[in-house]
Amino acid sequence: MPAEPLARSPAPPDAVLRRLSGYAPLSPDDEALLRRITARPVPVPARTELVRDGEATPRPQVLLEGWACRQRLLADGRRQIVVVLLPGDLIGLSQRRRPLPFGSVATLTTAQVCEVGPLRDCVSWGDGPPGTSLSGTGLPGSGLAAALWQARETEELWLVNQVVRLGRQTAYERVAHFLLELRERLAAVDRVQDERFSFPITQEVLADALGLSVVHMNRTMQQLRRDGLIEQRATAITLRDVPALASIADYTGARTF
Amino acid sequence: MPAEPLARSPAPPDAVLRRLSGYAPLSPDDEALLRRITARPVPVPARTELVRDGEATPRPQVLLEGWACRQRLLADGRRQIVVVLLPGDLIGLSQRRRPLPFGSVATLTTAQVCEVGPLRDCVSWGDGPPGTSLSGTGLPGSGLAAALWQARETEELWLVNQVVRLGRQTAYERVAHFLLELRERLAAVDRVQDERFSFPITQEVLADALGLSVVHMNRTMQQLRRDGLIEQRATAITLRDVPALASIADYTGARTF
DNA sequence: CGCGGTCTTGAGGTTCCTCAAACCTGGTGG
DNA sequence: CCACCAGGTTTGAGGAACCTCAAGACCGCG
């Protein structure tokens, strides 16, 4: 921990480290590498494009502070946010043989971002679950590679959740489900206190994430407030009744099962 | 090609091989391995569960014939099909440290399935794009590992497509978009002739995939037929005007860009 | 011939959307 | 200090898209 009395309140040390160590035990070397790599974050304003759509070889980056999203725009201007990215999330780690229209990545708020090219070079993904290295043990490997693998699996889970929300849930259910997912993800990087967390996005963004119009988004949020399920003040939100929300949303977190 | 005059019309040799070799050049050894592994397909009836939801270590399988899907069920019976699986698609290749609610995998039609455990053991995913092995060349590696990697990337693309369809497109657009995606995927395994391909699923399945009710699904298909965009006979479908469909759906294929 | 599964049609209702305007809040400049 | 503005939230009203319920038609199959 730094000795200087930096009074920045929203700076729980190193979101990435927290995230990844939650997936697999990291060796001191792994931790040192991560700390070194993320030592020089760069401030980025809101609405900045971090990865262009169709880039085959995006620069590997990590989001240390602030929110971002992966999104796709339709020709007529409609926007769908595919997934919201939170502190500790990795961006552009996987390269492809062919450019694919995965959508662009852009910041939603001012953010702290860090290039982590070394992660791509230093880490052998071969240690991830399907690899040979540890297949003898029958268990996924440990260390940075395993954690990165698990992070990728988790990202896929978010996509599945998003599909279910958009395909088969009502507006009310969608918001509840989405809030619970955010809560779980933010808790993993120590950003939830008493079911309360920072919520720095506009209803327009929320609407684009959940496939709704701004107006309906607004009315749905009001309903949740009236029902005593959430409470919103300034740029923070409190989930007043997590079990009720979970029941409404049919929420199955990553830890359940 | 086999010498026996097997009159089975829908048996273009080895969908997996076609799929994977489209992603990266395969060595003769790779091809031999694939052929050997998929030599003994097992027939499976429709509506058979291939992977249970939440399984951490699913058995690696490959779909050689027929259609399947990854789906998630809500407590009240609503079903969302997350992704449709076609001949040549891989199932359950990635294992996880923790069981995650990815949804179950089930056949939609009678199918030919093959267990491919060796793929998990024999292949070092470390040769995939983010690995060290070929990072010196600046290009993703070649061979089976690279192809498997690319297959995984492509699956993620299907999820993104699905999110955009469900979140921001009308029923009409969704169907058009979905049909174009199927066409492209089936073409990759040589199952499209003159924009015509087998389409063995009911409107109920289609509805569950596209987040619609059966009734509305039906009316939407009728509209597409009336507009001369598609033609359906028995269990096959013909796309009569691909450019028009692409324009309606704002379709960006995997090859475009 | 009857039967189950699928497709189709009709009618009425709900959810969600669009358009439009009002309101609120924080910041800026006169 | 106040007028003004921009961005965001809130409200109202009417309409479009989509849903549910229910029944009938079709079709392959035993």
Side-chain angles (χ1 to χ4, degrees):
Chain A
M1 56 186 77
E4 317 100 55
L6 287 181
R8 283 183 297 165
S9 62
D14 212 337
V16 205
L17 213 152
R18 280 216 152 278
R19 257 292 295 284
L20 293 180
S21 64
Y23 289 141
L26 298 183
S27 73
D29 278 359
D30 291 336
E31 296 199 4
L33 172 65
L34 280 179
R35 280 190 214 280
R36 184 153 35 83
I37 277 178
T38 60
R40 304 250 175 288
V42 175
V44 173
R47 287 155 214 249
T48 306
E49 199 170 55
L50 298 176
V51 177
R52 272 200 317 276
D53 197 2
E55 253 180 284
T57 323
R59 289 206 301 269
Q61 297 163 75
V62 68
L63 186 60
L64 290 172
E65 209 60 50
W67 290 27
C69 72
R70 179 129 64 106
Q71 61 185 4
R72 190 134 100 194
L73 300 174
L74 299 190
D76 61 0
R78 279 176 288 180
R79 165 171 83 154
Q80 177 63 46
I81 290 179
V82 175
V83 60
V84 167
L85 301 171
L86 305 176
D89 283 341
L90 300 158
I91 302 169
L93 249 200
S94 65
Q95 53 183 320
R96 314 170 233 291
R97 299 177 61 82
R98 226 194 288 272
L100 295 176
F102 273 78
S104 62
V105 175
T107 52
L108 294 170
T109 68
T110 58
Q112 299 283 333
V113 175
C114 208
E115 300 217 7
V116 291
L119 270 198
R120 190 185 273 162
D121 291 335
C122 297
V123 166
S124 160
W125 287 64
D127 293 337
T132 43
S133 12
L134 291 154
S135 64
T137 71
L139 265 181
S142 66
L144 197 45
L148 288 172
W149 180 270
Q150 187 72 10
R152 201 174 194 291
E153 289 287 322
T154 306
E155 281 165 35
E156 195 178 319
L157 178 65
W158 301 337
L159 285 184
V160 172
N161 279 345
Q162 178 77 326
V163 166
V164 174
R165 277 193 292 261
L166 296 175
R168 279 298 181 227
Q169 295 198 297
T170 66
Y172 197 72
E173 294 166 339
R174 276 180 221 184
V175 177
H177 197 281
F178 185 63
L179 290 175
L180 288 171
E181 190 185 286
L182 288 179
R183 163 181 171 270
E184 183 169 307
R185 291 172 56 187
L186 287 169
V189 287
D190 246 359
R191 264 143 165 109
V192 179
Q193 300 273 332
D194 299 323
E195 307 304 356
R196 183 160 179 281
F197 52 87
S198 161
F199 195 69
I201 54 177
T202 67
Q203 296 189 348
E204 188 189 351
V205 168
L206 209 41
D208 281 341
L210 296 181
L212 300 170
S213 70
V214 187
V215 172
H216 199 60
M217 187 71 245
N218 181 281
R219 293 187 166 128
T220 306
M221 292 294 280
Q222 286 180 51
Q223 190 61 49
L224 283 163
R225 267 178 260 156
R226 257 179 268 128
D227 294 345
L229 295 170
I230 65 174
E231 194 174 302
Q232 224 180 336
R233 269 191 347 268
T235 72
I237 197 171
T238 308
L239 309 192
R240 300 234 65 105
D241 191 342
V242 170
L245 285 168
S247 154
I248 287 164
D250 204 338
Y251 184 76
T252 311
R255 329 244 150 202
T256 331
F257 264 87
Chain B
M1 54 184 78
E4 317 101 54
L6 287 181
R8 283 183 297 167
S9 61
D14 210 337
V16 205
L17 215 151
R18 279 217 152 278
R19 255 296 292 284
L20 293 179
S21 64
Y23 289 141
L26 297 183
S27 72
D29 279 358
D30 291 336
E31 295 199 5
L33 172 65
L34 280 179
R35 279 189 214 281
R36 182 152 38 81
I37 276 179
T38 60
R40 305 250 173 288
V42 175
V44 174
R47 286 157 216 248
T48 305
E49 198 169 57
L50 299 176
V51 177
R52 272 200 319 279
D53 196 2
E55 252 181 286
T57 323
R59 290 206 301 269
Q61 296 163 75
V62 69
L63 187 61
L64 289 172
E65 210 59 51
W67 289 26
C69 73
R70 179 128 66 103
Q71 61 186 4
R72 189 134 101 197
L73 300 174
L74 299 190
D76 61 0
R78 278 175 288 181
R79 166 170 82 154
Q80 177 62 46
I81 290 179
V82 175
V83 60
V84 168
L85 301 171
L86 305 176
D89 283 340
L90 301 158
I91 301 170
L93 249 201
S94 65
Q95 52 183 320
R96 314 169 235 290
R97 299 177 62 82
R98 228 194 287 271
L100 294 176
F102 273 77
S104 61
V105 176
T107 53
L108 294 170
T109 69
T110 59
Q112 299 283 335
V113 175
C114 207
E115 299 217 8
V116 291
L119 270 197
R120 191 184 272 164
D121 290 334
C122 297
V123 165
S124 159
W125 286 64
D127 293 338
T132 43
S133 11
L134 290 152
S135 63
T137 71
L139 265 181
S142 66
L144 197 44
L148 287 172
W149 180 270
Q150 186 73 11
R152 201 174 194 291
E153 290 287 324
T154 306
E155 281 164 36
E156 195 178 319
L157 178 65
W158 301 336
L159 285 184
V160 172
N161 279 344
Q162 177 77 325
V163 166
V164 174
R165 276 193 293 261
L166 296 175
R168 281 297 182 227
Q169 295 198 296
T170 66
Y172 196 72
E173 294 165 339
R174 277 181 222 184
V175 177
H177 196 280
F178 185 63
L179 290 175
L180 288 171
E181 191 185 286
L182 288 178
R183 163 180 172 270
E184 183 170 306
R185 291 173 55 187
L186 287 168
V189 287
D190 247 358
R191 263 141 166 112
V192 180
Q193 299 274 332
D194 299 324
E195 306 304 357
R196 185 161 178 281
F197 52 88
S198 161
F199 195 69
I201 54 177
T202 67
Q203 296 189 350
E204 188 189 353
V205 168
L206 209 42
D208 280 340
L210 296 180
L212 299 169
S213 71
V214 187
V215 172
H216 199 60
M217 186 72 245
N218 181 282
R219 293 186 166 129
T220 305
M221 293 294 280
Q222 287 182 48
Q223 191 59 48
L224 284 163
R225 268 177 261 155
R226 258 179 269 127
D227 294 346
L229 295 170
I230 66 174
E231 194 174 305
Q232 226 180 334
R233 270 190 347 268
T235 73
I237 197 171
T238 307
L239 309 192
R240 299 234 65 104
D241 191 343
V242 171
L245 285 169
S247 153
I248 288 164
D250 204 339
Y251 185 75
T252 311
R255 329 244 152 203
T256 331
F257 265 88

